[in-house]
Amino acid sequence: NGVMSGLMQMLLLKVSAHITEQLGMAPGGEFREAFKEASKVPFCKFHLGDRPIPVTFKRAIAALSFWQKVKLAWGLCFLSDPISKDDVEKCKQKDLLEQMMAEMIGEFPDLHRTIVSERDVYLTYMLKQAAKQIELPRASETEPRQYIPSVVVGVVGMGHVPGIEKNWNSDLNIQEIMSVPPPSASSKIFRFVIKATVFGLMGYGCYRIAQRTVRFILSTPAAQSYLQKLTEVRPQ
């Protein structure tokens, strides 16, 4: 998925591991439980309704400036704050959740837009598609169309509920939020510098290793004896 996207995924996995270690349970348990319950209902269709992770990561990374990326990566690398089950219960309170979201908007507004607001739109769109009325089969073309309502259960993160409620009655288009913007000129230059540095260090390392290997081989008695014989043969 690209170097930056891959690094971001690694950092978020580190955060997930930290939460799991602190609470003794892995994040995302509500989605696993929803899948188990859906499998018990006859004829129930299960949909993964979130935007694909690579698209979200690439759009999020493209929205951040270089220094914002460094700041975010630094914060994720050194995340060590203790988390208790009481802290999780507090996060379920609407006012505290809204406060946390407001802090995120203030510090990383572009990140909030791509990770939260755009996914609010995508989740709303997918839920509305699933909630469309179901047309009953007709015996003939002349028979009037009949519909029955769909029964839909949507399981989403608490932070997405206000956005879904806000977007529910709007005409939504997800084409724009599914596109990945091309890398900027600065990111291309930065990527080229990083690659050139890495390959340059690798080439220099190989050169030094080869140089030392040749010196070691030439210093062995067998090599010295062979070189002496060559020098004796040349004058003849």
Side-chain angles (χ1 to χ4, degrees):
N1 296 327
V3 175
M4 292 301 297
S5 182
L7 289 173
M8 186 64 69
Q9 289 190 43
M10 289 174 62
L11 290 174
L12 291 178
L13 283 172
K14 179 182 181 297
V15 174
S16 177
H18 172 68
I19 295 172
T20 303
E21 182 182 5
Q22 293 287 318
L23 299 179
M25 53 188 283
E30 65 273 31
F31 303 115
R32 289 188 287 273
E33 198 63 31
F35 177 76
K36 291 178 185 177
E37 293 300 319
S39 62
K40 299 176 184 177
V41 180
F43 308 108
C44 178
K45 295 181 180 179
F46 182 82
H47 295 282
L48 296 173
D50 204 350
R51 184 170 64 177
I53 290 177
V55 176
T56 299
F57 276 161
K58 288 178 180 178
R59 286 186 63 85
I61 291 168
L64 295 175
S65 67
F66 174 75
W67 293 113
Q68 284 178 322
K69 292 174 186 175
V70 172
K71 186 178 180 181
L72 179 64
W74 181 268
L76 293 176
C77 282
F78 295 96
L79 179 70
S80 59
D81 295 336
I83 304 170
S84 66
K85 292 184 179 180
D86 291 336
D87 294 331
V88 177
E89 292 300 322
K90 289 178 183 177
C91 289
K92 295 179 181 179
Q93 300 173 15
K94 187 175 181 182
D95 54 347
L96 181 61
L97 186 65
E98 289 177 349
Q99 179 184 344
M100 292 169 62
M101 299 293 281
E103 290 175 0
M104 182 180 176
I105 293 172
E107 194 165 4
F108 297 103
D110 294 322
L111 192 65
H112 180 273
R113 173 176 54 80
T114 53
I115 291 184
V116 180
S117 300
E118 290 183 359
R119 286 173 59 223
D120 289 345
V121 173
Y122 189 91
L123 289 166
T124 307
Y125 179 86
M126 296 300 288
L127 280 169
K128 291 180 74 171
Q129 293 297 309
K132 285 183 176 179
Q133 291 185 325
I134 301 171
E135 183 180 353
L136 295 175
R138 294 183 294 167
S140 64
E141 292 293 329
T142 57
E143 186 178 344
R145 298 177 183 271
Q146 293 183 338
Y147 299 88
I148 59 172
S150 299
V151 179
V152 180
V153 177
V155 181
V156 300
M158 288 184 64
H160 292 291
V161 174
I164 292 173
E165 292 176 347
K166 176 184 175 183
N167 292 310
W168 188 259
N169 294 318
S170 305
D171 292 329
L172 304 174
N173 184 4
I174 62 170
Q175 295 301 321
E176 182 181 350
I177 62 173
M178 288 299 292
S179 62
V180 178
S184 62
S186 59
S187 64
K188 288 181 179 178
I189 294 171
F190 177 72
R191 203 180 318 172
F192 174 78
V193 170
I194 292 294
K195 286 183 178 180
T197 303
V198 170
F199 285 115
L201 290 173
M202 288 175 63
Y204 179 72
C206 292
Y207 165 75
R208 290 302 301 270
I209 291 171
Q211 189 180 42
R212 290 185 178 182
T213 304
V214 171
R215 286 179 179 174
F216 174 76
I217 293 172
L218 293 177
S219 63
T220 59
Q224 291 289 337
S225 175
Y226 181 73
L227 291 173
Q228 187 176 0
K229 289 180 180 179
L230 283 177
T231 54
E232 293 175 355
V233 169
R234 275 184 183 176
Q236 298 174 7

